[in-house]
C-alpha cells in the first residue's frame, strides 16, 4: 500500500497548474519530481534515468549542469552508481565519491571534476520490474541520515509508481510517449553500435566500448557521437580498437 508521504509527493509532482521548477527547462512530471526531491532532501541536485537491461537508457530529467554531467557520464562510460543500483537492485549510497575511484575508475574522477562529491542512487523498481534510477548528488561529501534516506526512498517509490502508470497504457512492447524521447537516445546508440561492428570488424560489446571511449576522449555526449556515426559523419576503422 502506498504510504501517505508517497501519495503527497505524487499529488505534488502530478499537479499541472504550477510554474516551472526553478533552474529547470520545461514543466514535466520528471522535472517536478527532481525539484521535489532536492527541496525535501538536503542534496544539491537530482536526475532521473530510464534504464534498460544493458544499461543507461536516457535521461528523463536533470536539475542542473552537474546532474546532467552525472547522467551523461554514466551513459557514456557504462559505469557509475545508477548502473550499480540498477543491476544490484538496491540503493547505492556513496557519501564520499573521492574514495570510489577503484569502484568506478572512469566515472568517479570525472564526476568529482564536475563538482560532485557524493551520490545516492535509488533503483525504480516494483517487484521484479526494473524501470529506472533516481540519482541524488551533493557538492560536499556526507551521508544521508535515516530521515533523509526515508524521504529519498519515498521519492524513488513515487517515481516508480509514475513510470508504471505511464507504461500501463503503452502499446505492448513499446514505451509510453513521455518516455520515448529518452529511449530514442538509446536507439541511436544501438544503431551506431551496429554500424561500428561492421566498420571496425568487432563484436557488439567491443563496438559499444569503442563508442564510449571516443565520446569520453572527445568530451562529447554519447548520443551526439552516436548521431554522427549513424549519419556517417564519423567512422571507425579496424585499428581503432588498438590505438592508445
Amino acid at each position: 500500500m502506498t504510504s501517505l508521504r508517497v501519495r503527497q509527493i505524487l499529488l505534488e509532482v502530478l499537479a499541472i497548474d504550477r510554474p516551472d521548477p526553478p533552474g529547470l527547462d520545461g514543466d514535466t512530471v520528471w522535472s517536478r519530481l527532481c525539484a521535489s526531491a532536492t527541496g525535501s532532501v538536503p542534496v544539491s541536485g537530482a536526475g532521473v534515468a530510464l534504464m534498460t537491461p544493458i544499461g543507461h537508457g536516457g535521461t528523463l530529467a536533470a536539475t542542473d549542469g552537474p546532474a546532467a554531467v552525472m547522467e551523461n557520464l554514466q551513459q557514456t562510460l557504462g559505469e557509475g552508481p545508477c548502473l550499480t543500483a540498477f543491476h544490484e537492485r538496491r540503493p547505492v549510497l556513496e557519501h564520499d565519491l573521492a574514495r570510489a575511484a577503484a569502484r568506478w575508475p572512469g566515472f568517479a574522477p570525472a564526476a568529482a571534476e564536475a563538482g560532485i562529491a557524493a551520490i545516492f542512487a535509488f533503483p525504480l523498481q516494483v517487484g521484479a520490474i526494473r524501470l529506472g534510477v533516481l540519482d541524488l548528488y551533493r557538492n560536499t561529501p556526507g551521508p544521508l541520515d535515516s530521515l533523509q534516506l526515508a524521504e529519498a526512498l519515498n521519492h524513488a517509490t513515487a517515481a516508480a509508481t509514475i513510470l508504471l502508470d505511464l507504461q500501463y497504457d503503452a502499446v505492448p512492447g513499446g514505451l509510453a510517449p513521455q518516455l520515448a524521447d529518452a529511449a530514442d537516445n538509446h536507439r541511436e546508440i544501438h544503431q551506431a553500435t551496429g554500424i561500428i561492428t561492421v566498420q571496425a570488424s568487432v563484436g557488439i560489446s567491443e563496438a559499444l566500448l569503442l563508442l564510449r571511449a571516443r565520446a569520453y576522449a572527445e568530451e562529447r555526449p554519447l548520443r551526439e557521437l552516436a548521431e554522427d556515426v549513424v549519419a556517417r559523419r564519423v567512422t571507425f576503422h579496424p585499428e581503432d580498437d588498438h590505438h592508445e
Side-chain angles (χ1 to χ4, degrees):
M1 181 179 294
T2 303
S3 72
L4 175 59
R5 179 55 185 146
V6 172
R7 290 198 295 271
Q8 290 174 335
I9 295 168
L10 289 170
L11 286 172
E12 176 185 353
V13 304
L14 293 173
I16 59 174
D17 56 344
R18 54 176 292 169
D20 292 359
L24 288 169
D25 294 327
D27 186 21
T28 70
V29 64
W30 305 114
S31 63
R32 292 194 294 271
L33 183 104
C34 286
S36 176
T38 56
S40 303
V41 184
V43 293
S44 306
V48 180
L50 190 65
M51 301 296 291
T52 75
I54 63 171
H56 197 296
T59 302
L60 294 170
T63 54
D64 55 16
V69 169
M70 171 176 66
E71 299 303 342
N72 181 57
L73 280 171
Q74 293 185 100
Q75 184 173 28
T76 299
L77 297 171
E79 66 172 42
C82 87
L83 286 102
T84 301
F86 180 74
H87 290 300
E88 296 185 357
R89 300 173 180 266
R90 62 176 181 82
V92 171
L93 310 175
E94 185 48 74
H95 68 268
D96 186 0
L97 197 59
R99 69 178 192 176
R103 192 177 194 185
W104 304 301
F107 173 81
E113 186 177 340
I116 297 170
I119 295 184
F120 312 101
F122 302 89
L124 308 182
Q125 57 191 17
V126 178
I129 302 173
R130 295 180 295 163
L131 306 161
V133 174
L134 170 65
D135 288 320
L136 307 178
Y137 86 86
R138 276 180 170 163
N139 56 19
T140 56
L144 300 176
D145 65 28
S146 58
L147 291 178
Q148 294 163 356
L149 178 58
E151 184 69 354
L153 288 167
N154 284 331
H155 278 82
T157 299
T161 301
I162 294 167
L163 278 172
L164 277 178
D165 186 60
L166 288 173
Q167 276 297 95
Y168 182 79
D169 294 322
V171 175
L175 281 173
Q178 296 93 329
L179 306 177
D181 286 346
D184 283 343
N185 189 337
H186 178 70
R187 291 191 191 100
E188 288 170 341
I189 293 166
H190 181 72
Q191 288 178 315
T193 301
I195 292 169
I196 294 168
T197 63
V198 176
Q199 293 178 346
S201 300
V202 295
I204 289 290
S205 296
E206 293 87 349
L208 184 55
L209 286 174
L210 285 174
L211 185 67
R212 284 173 168 160
R214 187 158 177 172
Y216 183 66
E218 296 180 0
E219 299 183 346
R220 300 179 63 188
L222 190 62
R223 180 179 182 178
E224 179 183 292
L225 179 59
E227 289 174 346
D228 281 350
V229 172
V230 173
R232 304 303 197 275
R233 290 188 292 267
V234 170
T235 58
F236 287 73
H237 303 287
E239 65 272 15
D240 288 343
D241 61 337
H242 302 299
H243 73 267
E244 296 295 333

